[in-house]
C-alpha cells in the first residue's frame, strides 16, 4: 500500500513539474505593446519544447536547463481581443488580450493614490466605462534577491466596479490617451507609499556607480527572514527605550477611563504623524491621551470635538464615553460631545489609534484640533501622552536598497511597454542633493535592465507641502528635491509635469490627480504621438544683472509669460553677495522677467518658489502651464552633506 501511495505521489509530482507556467503579468485581459517586438517568457521542465501562438504567429522555443524560456513575437498593430496560447506538456490559453499602448506607473503614495480618493471621485467613477483601458496592480512585496515572478497581481478592465482602486494618475493619463488615440491602453501599477528611490534601484546599478559603490559593498545580499528578526528586536528595543516600558496590550481596557493614571506615559507633539517623532516608523496600535481643564460654564455648553485627521482609524473617548470613530485616514474627525459628558475641572480625551500602513497618528492643521463651544474654542494642539501597545512588525521597503526592484520590478522585465510614469521624491527630501545622482541612476538602471533603449520616462515634480517650514532663509529640502527633479531632465527622453498650482500645503497627497494625468499626457502626445502642443511651463534659462535689477530669460514660454488674471507676480526673491534673500518686485516685460528689491542694491541671485510651501507662486505661460521653481545661484544648500546609508 505504501509503495502504491509513493508511486501516485511521484506521478503527481512529475505532472506538476511538467506544467508550462506563465508569469502573472501574462493573464486574461492583458494589454501587449504595439509596434514593437513582444517578449513572451515562462517556465517549464528543463529542455522542454514550448510553442507560442498569437494572432497569426506561431513561435517555437526550447526551455533551458533551468526550465526558463523566452521568445519574441513579431510586432503587432493595435487591436484585439486575441488569445495567447502556450503549449508544452500542457496548454495555457490567455483570453481577451489586447494590443495597444502600455505604460508602467511607479513611485510612492502619490502614484499609489487611488481614483476613489481624488476630487470629484463619484463623477470620475461614473465616467470609467472604458473596456479598452486595462490596469494591472502589482501586489506589494519585498525580496533580498531578484525574483522571477510577482507575489500577486491581475489585469482589470476599467469600469465603475474596478476603477476606484486604480492608480489615479495612471488612469487619468490613460483616459486622455484613449480619447486621443482610440486604441487599447494598459497601465501597470507597481508602487508603494513612503518608499525611497534606492529601494527601486538594482544592486548592479549601485555597484557600477561612483557615488554608491562603497555603500553597496558594505550591504550583504539580505535574507528577509533573518533581517526581520533583527528588525523586530530593534523596533521593540527602541520603543522600550522611548516609553520606559514594554509594548503590551495588558490593561488597555483601562486607558479610556478618566481616573487612569498616565503620568509615566511619554509625550508627543500633536498634530503630527508619529513617523516624524520619537515613535518612529511603525504600524500598530497607539493610545493617546490629553487632560484638559474646563470651567463649570464650559462643561454645561453644547460642544463639538474637532480631532483634525487620524491615520488610519480612531476610537475616541471623553471621560470614558465613546463619542466617535472613523477608519478614513484622510477625513476630518468632527464628533458631537453628548450632554453631561464634560464636567467642571479635569476631563480626559483618550484616542485609540490603529495604523495599518504608512503614516500614523493625529495629523493635519492645528486649527482643526479643538473643542468648539460655539462662542469660543479650546485649542488641543501641543503635547499628548502616548502608549504604543501593539506593533505590526514588517520590514520597511526602505530598510535595504533594491528590495522593491527585486520583488516588484524585476519580475516585469522584459515585458514590452511604451514608457514609464513616475511620482516619487517625498521620501528622499532629506537627501535632495544626492537625489541628483540617485534618480538618474535609477532611470538609467531601468533602461539598462529592460534593453528597450532610452524609453520615455516622465515624472511628476513635487507639489507644495509645508513639511518643515523651509524657505530661502533657513533652507528648503522640498525646494532642493524639486531642483534635483528638474536637473534630471538632462537625461534623454525625459519629461516633467510641474504641479506648483495644484498642491495642498497641509496635505502631502493632493487630490487633484486629474490635472497631473493630463499634463503627463500632454508630454506624451507631443513627444510620442505626433500631436504637437505646448506641454510645459516656463523653465529658467539665464540671468543678466543690470544695476540693481536681474533680468531673467526662460525656455518653454509657449505664446508668452503670464499670470492668472494679470495678477502681480509672487514668489520671487533676490539676494546680494551676503546670500540673504529678500522679497522682490517682479514684472514681465518682453517675455522676460525683471526682478529687483530696494533692499538689495547689488544683486547676485534670484530664487523663485524656494520653499516647502510654494503655494503663492504664480508664473505661467499663456497655455496655463506653471513655471518650475528655480534658483540662479549655486550656493551650498541644507542637504549638501546628506548621504544614503544602511543601518546595520
Amino acid at each position: 500500500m505504501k509503495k502504491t501511495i509513493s508511486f501516485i505521489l511521484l506521478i503527481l509530482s512529475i505532472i506538476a513539474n511538467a506544467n508550462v507556467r506563465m508569469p502573472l503579468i501574462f493573464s486574461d485581459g492583458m494589454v501587449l505593446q504595439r509596434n514593437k517586438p513582444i517578449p513572451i517568457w515562462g517556465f517549464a521542465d528543463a529542455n522542454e519544447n514550448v510553442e507560442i501562438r498569437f494572432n497569426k504567429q506561431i513561435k517555437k522555443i526550447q526551455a533551458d536547463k533551468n526550465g526558463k524560456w523566452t521568445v519574441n513575437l513579431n510586432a503587432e498593430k493595435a487591436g484585439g481581443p486575441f488569445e495567447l496560447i502556450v503549449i508544452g506538456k500542457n496548454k495555457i490559453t490567455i483570453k481577451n488580450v489586447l494590443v495597444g499602448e502600455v505604460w508602467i506607473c511607479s513611485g510612492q503614495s502619490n502614484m499609489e493614490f487611488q481614483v476613489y480618493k481624488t476630487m470629484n471621485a463619484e463623477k470620475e467613477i461614473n465616467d470609467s466605462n472604458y473596456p479598452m483601458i486595462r490596469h494591472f496592480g502589482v501586489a506589494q512585496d519585498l525580496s533580498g534577491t531578484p525574483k522571477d515572478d510577482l507575489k500577486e497581481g491581475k489585469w482589470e478592465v476599467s469600469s465603475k466596479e474596478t476603477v476606484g482602486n486604480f492608480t489615479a494618475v495612471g488612469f487619468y493619463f490613460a483616459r486622455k490617451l484613449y480619447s486621443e488615440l482610440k486604441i487599447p491602453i494598459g497601465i501597470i501599477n507597481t508602487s508603494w507609499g513612503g518608499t525611497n528611490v534606492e529601494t527601486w534601484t538594482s544592486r548592479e546599478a549601485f555597484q557600477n556607480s561612483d557615488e554608491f559603490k562603497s555603500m553597496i559593498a558594505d550591504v550583504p545580499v539580505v535574507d528577509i527572514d533573518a533581517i526581520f528578526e533583527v528588525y523586530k528586536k530593534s523596533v521593540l528595543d527602541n520603543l522600550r527605550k522611548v516609553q520606559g516600558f514594554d509594548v503590551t496590550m495588558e490593561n488597555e481596557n483601562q486607558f479610556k477611563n478618566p481616573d487612569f493614571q498616565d503620568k509615566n506615559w511619554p509625550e508627543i507633539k500633536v498634530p503630527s504623524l508619529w513617523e516624524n517623532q520619537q515613535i518612529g516608523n511603525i504600524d500598530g496600535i497607539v493610545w493617546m491621551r490629553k487632560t484638559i481643564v474646563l470651567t463649570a460654564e464650559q462643561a454645561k455648553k453644547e460642544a463639538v470635538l474637532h480631532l483634525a485627521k487620524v491615520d488610519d482609524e480612531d476610537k475616541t473617548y471623553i471621560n470614558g464615553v465613546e463619542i466617535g470613530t472613523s477608519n478614513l485616514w484622510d477625513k476630518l474627525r468632527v464628533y458631537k460631545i453628548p450632554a453631561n459628558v464634560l464636567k467642571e475641572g479635569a476631563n480626559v480625551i483618550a484616542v485609540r489609534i490603529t495604523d495599518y500602513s504608512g503614516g500614523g497618528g493625529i495629523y493635519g492643521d492645528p486649527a482643526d484640533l479643538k473643542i468648539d463651544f460655539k462662542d469660543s474654542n479650546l485649542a488641543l494642539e501641543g503635547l499628548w501622552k502616548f502608549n504604543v501597545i501593539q506593533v505590526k512588525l514588517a520590514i520597511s521597503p526602505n530598510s535595504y536598497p533594491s528590495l522593491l526592484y527585486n520583488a516588484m520590478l524585476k519580475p516585469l522585465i522584459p515585458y514590452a511597454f511604451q514608457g514609464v510614469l513616475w511620482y516619487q521624491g517625498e521620501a528622499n527630501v532629506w537627501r535632495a542633493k544626492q537625489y541628483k545622482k540617485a534618480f538618474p541612476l535609477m532611470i538609467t538602471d531601468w533602461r539598462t535592465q529592460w534593453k528597450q533603449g532610452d524609453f520615455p520616462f516622465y515624472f511628476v515634480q513635487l507639489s507644495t507641502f509645508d513639511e518643515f517650514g523651509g524657505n530661502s532663509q533657513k533652507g528648503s529640502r522640498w525646494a532642493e528635491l524639486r531642483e534635483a527633479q528638474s536637473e534630471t531632465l538632462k537625461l534623454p527622453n525625459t519629461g516633467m509635469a510641474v504641479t506648483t498650482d495644484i498642491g495642498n500645503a497641509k496635505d502631502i497627497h493632493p487630490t487633484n490627480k486629474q490635472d497631473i494625468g493630463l499634463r503627463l499626457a500632454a508630454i506624451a502626445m507631443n513627444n510620442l504621438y505626433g500631436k504637437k502642443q505646448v506641454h510645459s511651463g516656463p523653465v529658467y534659462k539665464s540671468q543678466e544683472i543690470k544695476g540693481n535689477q536681474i533680468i531673467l530669460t526662460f525656455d518653454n514660454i509657449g505664446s508668452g509669460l503670464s499670470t492668472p488674471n494679470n495678477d502681480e507676480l509672487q514668489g520671487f526673491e533676490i539676494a546680494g553677495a551676503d546670500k540673504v534673500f529678500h522679497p522682490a518686485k517682479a514684472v514681465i516685460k518682453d517675455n522676460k522677467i525683471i526682478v529687483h528689491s530696494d533692499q538689495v542694491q547689488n544683486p547676485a541671485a534670484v530664487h523663485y518658489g524656494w520653499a516647502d510651501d510654494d503655494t503663492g507662486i504664480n508664473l505661467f505661460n499663456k497655455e496655463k502651464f506653471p513655471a518650475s521653481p528655480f534658483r540662479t545661484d549655486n550656493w551650498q544648500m541644507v542637504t549638501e552633506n546628506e548621504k544614503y546609508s544602511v543601518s546595520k
Side-chain angles (χ1 to χ4, degrees):
M1 181 65 178
K2 288 182 180 178
K3 288 184 179 179
T4 302
I5 293 173
S6 298
F7 178 74
I8 292 171
L9 291 174
L10 176 63
I11 294 300
L12 290 174
S13 174
I14 292 171
I15 292 171
N17 290 336
N19 282 346
V20 171
R21 181 171 63 85
M22 300 295 289
L24 288 172
I25 190 70
F26 293 97
S27 51
D28 291 350
M30 68 189 297
V31 182
L32 297 172
Q33 176 61 40
R34 66 169 177 165
N35 300 340
K36 290 184 179 183
I38 304 171
I40 306 291
W41 72 96
F43 317 97
D45 269 359
N47 305 314
E48 183 175 348
N49 292 319
V50 179
E51 182 175 292
I52 299 92
R53 299 176 182 176
F54 184 74
N55 201 4
K56 298 176 182 177
Q57 299 190 52
I58 298 177
K59 300 279 185 175
K60 296 182 180 181
I61 190 74
Q62 186 178 57
D64 65 18
K65 63 181 181 180
N66 298 312
K68 296 181 180 179
W69 55 270
T70 303
V71 67
N72 280 341
L73 295 177
N74 300 332
E76 294 270 358
K77 294 181 180 179
F82 304 110
E83 288 187 345
L84 174 64
I85 298 171
V86 181
I87 304 170
K89 295 175 182 174
N90 62 306
K91 179 179 178 182
I92 297 172
T93 301
I94 298 170
K95 300 176 181 179
N96 192 15
V97 179
L98 302 180
V99 178
E101 290 293 281
V102 179
W103 286 80
I104 292 176
C105 303
S106 189
Q108 56 181 111
S109 55
N110 271 307
M111 182 59 80
E112 191 179 28
F113 198 91
Q114 301 107 312
V115 170
Y116 81 88
K117 297 176 182 176
T118 59
M119 65 179 193
N120 304 320
E122 184 177 353
K123 176 177 178 291
E124 301 292 7
I125 290 171
N126 285 333
D127 181 23
S128 63
N129 184 28
Y130 295 94
M132 293 295 105
I133 296 178
R134 310 284 175 86
H135 176 278
F136 185 88
V138 174
Q140 294 179 346
D141 190 21
L142 306 174
S143 179
T145 54
K147 295 181 68 172
D148 285 331
D149 202 1
L150 301 169
K151 175 183 175 181
E152 193 179 339
K154 65 178 179 178
W155 286 95
E156 292 184 298
V157 177
S158 177
S159 68
K160 290 182 183 180
E161 291 71 35
T162 62
V163 78
N165 284 317
F166 288 13
T167 161
V169 169
F171 171 69
Y172 295 131
F173 171 87
R175 192 172 66 183
K176 178 61 175 176
L177 253 59
Y178 180 74
S179 72
E180 297 281 349
L181 304 176
K182 294 295 190 291
I183 62 171
I185 309 292
I187 47 177
I188 299 172
N189 176 19
T190 180
S191 53
W192 190 322
T195 53
N196 60 36
V197 73
E198 291 84 3
T199 193
W200 292 101
T201 307
S202 77
R203 187 179 185 91
E204 292 85 353
F206 292 126
Q207 290 171 334
N208 295 323
S209 163
D210 291 340
E211 178 75 16
F212 293 100
K213 62 184 178 184
S214 60
M215 174 278 295
I216 201 67
D218 291 335
V219 179
V221 176
V222 297
D223 177 337
I224 292 294
D225 292 334
I227 67 171
F228 175 74
E229 292 304 316
V230 175
Y231 168 74
K232 177 180 177 181
K233 184 177 185 304
S234 171
V235 169
L236 294 177
D237 285 351
N238 179 66
L239 288 172
R240 188 179 298 111
K241 182 179 178 181
V242 166
Q243 296 192 153
F245 46 83
D246 287 334
V247 173
T248 174
M249 301 184 76
E250 187 177 355
N251 298 323
E252 79 149 325
N253 62 328
Q254 300 177 27
F255 296 165
K256 66 179 182 290
N257 298 332
D259 54 355
F260 174 78
Q261 295 299 309
D262 59 18
K263 61 184 178 182
N264 68 323
W265 287 17
E267 293 180 320
I268 193 169
K269 179 186 173 185
V270 175
S272 180
L273 295 175
W274 60 54
E275 275 78 1
N276 301 327
Q277 303 185 70
Q278 67 267 45
I279 292 178
N281 186 20
I282 68 149
D283 302 323
I285 301 173
V286 179
W287 278 88
M288 289 190 181
R289 286 169 52 100
K290 188 172 184 67
T291 300
I292 57 174
V293 178
L294 301 179
T295 65
E297 183 181 357
Q298 286 174 317
K300 293 176 184 175
K301 291 181 177 178
E302 285 188 21
V304 177
L305 174 66
H306 295 254
L307 200 61
K309 299 179 181 180
V310 181
D311 193 344
D312 291 290
E313 180 178 334
D314 71 290
K315 285 189 178 180
T316 299
Y317 303 84
I318 295 182
N319 295 333
V321 177
E322 182 176 336
I323 65 163
T325 182
S326 175
N327 61 4
L328 300 176
W329 63 273
D330 57 347
K331 178 185 177 183
L332 287 170
R333 269 55 171 183
V334 180
Y335 301 139
K336 184 176 180 180
I337 302 173
N340 302 319
V341 168
L342 298 177
K343 61 183 181 179
E344 180 181 2
N347 294 258
V348 175
I349 304 170
V351 186
R352 187 183 194 268
I353 301 171
T354 304
D355 176 32
Y356 298 105
S357 65
I362 301 171
Y363 74 105
D365 189 340
D368 293 325
L369 188 63
K370 63 189 176 183
I371 295 181
D372 184 357
F373 296 104
K374 286 192 175 180
D375 58 347
S376 64
N377 293 321
L378 176 65
L380 299 176
E381 176 188 9
L383 296 176
W384 286 51
K385 298 277 191 176
F386 75 88
N387 182 348
V388 181
I389 66 166
Q390 186 185 75
V391 177
K392 186 179 81 172
L393 289 163
I395 299 164
S396 165
N398 297 333
S399 298
Y400 286 85
S402 309
L403 294 182
L404 296 191
Y405 170 85
N406 291 336
M408 296 177 63
L409 198 81
K410 182 61 170 68
L412 298 173
I413 300 172
Y415 199 85
F417 63 97
Q418 181 62 261
V420 170
L421 305 180
W422 177 261
Y423 196 160
Q424 187 273 342
E426 300 92 337
N428 277 87
V429 294
W430 284 92
R431 301 188 306 279
K433 173 72 180 295
Q434 197 179 37
Y435 198 76
K436 293 181 180 181
K437 295 183 178 179
F439 186 30
L441 177 68
M442 189 209 76
I443 296 171
T444 302
D445 179 34
W446 287 21
R447 288 171 168 174
T448 300
Q449 299 288 348
W450 242 288
K451 298 182 175 65
Q452 291 189 31
D454 290 339
F455 52 74
F457 197 105
Y458 303 151
F459 50 93
V460 182
Q461 188 178 50
L462 296 189
S463 60
T464 186
F465 181 60
D466 196 17
E467 184 168 14
F468 310 108
N471 54 37
S472 288
Q473 283 65 49
K474 60 182 181 181
S476 169
R477 294 181 176 89
W478 280 69
E480 290 185 43
L481 197 287
R482 295 184 195 109
E483 179 181 76
Q485 292 175 313
S486 294
E487 292 194 11
T488 301
L489 291 170
K490 294 173 184 176
L491 284 184
N493 213 2
T494 53
M496 182 176 75
V498 178
T499 61
T500 57
D501 57 326
I502 52 179
N504 182 341
K506 296 175 183 177
D507 191 347
I508 201 169
H509 302 114
T511 59
N512 181 357
K513 296 294 191 281
Q514 289 89 332
D515 281 329
I516 294 173
L518 290 174
R519 288 174 189 180
L520 290 167
I523 301 171
M525 296 311 301
N526 181 80
N527 292 356
L528 295 173
Y529 299 122
K531 302 202 175 186
K532 295 300 179 182
Q533 58 191 276
V534 175
H535 59 282
S536 168
V539 175
Y540 166 71
K541 181 180 181 182
S542 63
Q543 74 169 18
E544 179 186 3
I545 300 173
K546 280 192 175 182
N548 69 342
Q549 298 179 337
I550 293 182
I551 301 171
L552 304 172
T553 59
F554 295 82
D555 290 325
N556 298 334
I557 64 172
S559 55
L561 300 178
S562 72
T563 62
N565 306 314
N566 294 315
D567 292 337
E568 185 176 317
L569 282 168
Q570 302 292 329
F572 286 89
E573 300 170 289
I574 197 166
D578 61 0
K579 303 180 183 179
V580 177
F581 282 87
H582 300 271
K585 179 80 172 177
V587 295
I588 299 171
K589 185 176 180 181
D590 298 328
N591 281 323
K592 297 181 179 181
I593 292 180
I594 302 172
V595 184
H596 79 279
S597 169
D598 293 339
Q599 295 175 283
V600 182
Q601 295 306 308
N602 297 296
V606 170
H607 280 182
Y608 172 68
W610 201 263
D612 294 8
D613 175 9
D614 59 5
T615 305
I617 64 177
N618 62 349
L619 175 62
F620 291 73
N621 54 28
K622 290 181 179 178
E623 285 74 18
K624 299 183 179 179
F625 285 92
S628 176
F630 64 90
R631 62 180 175 130
T632 68
D633 62 87
N634 61 357
W635 300 332
Q636 183 168 314
M637 295 283 106
V638 292
T639 67
E640 184 79 22
N641 300 312
E642 299 295 333
K643 301 290 185 181
Y644 177 71
S645 63
V646 178
S647 58
K648 305 195 179 53

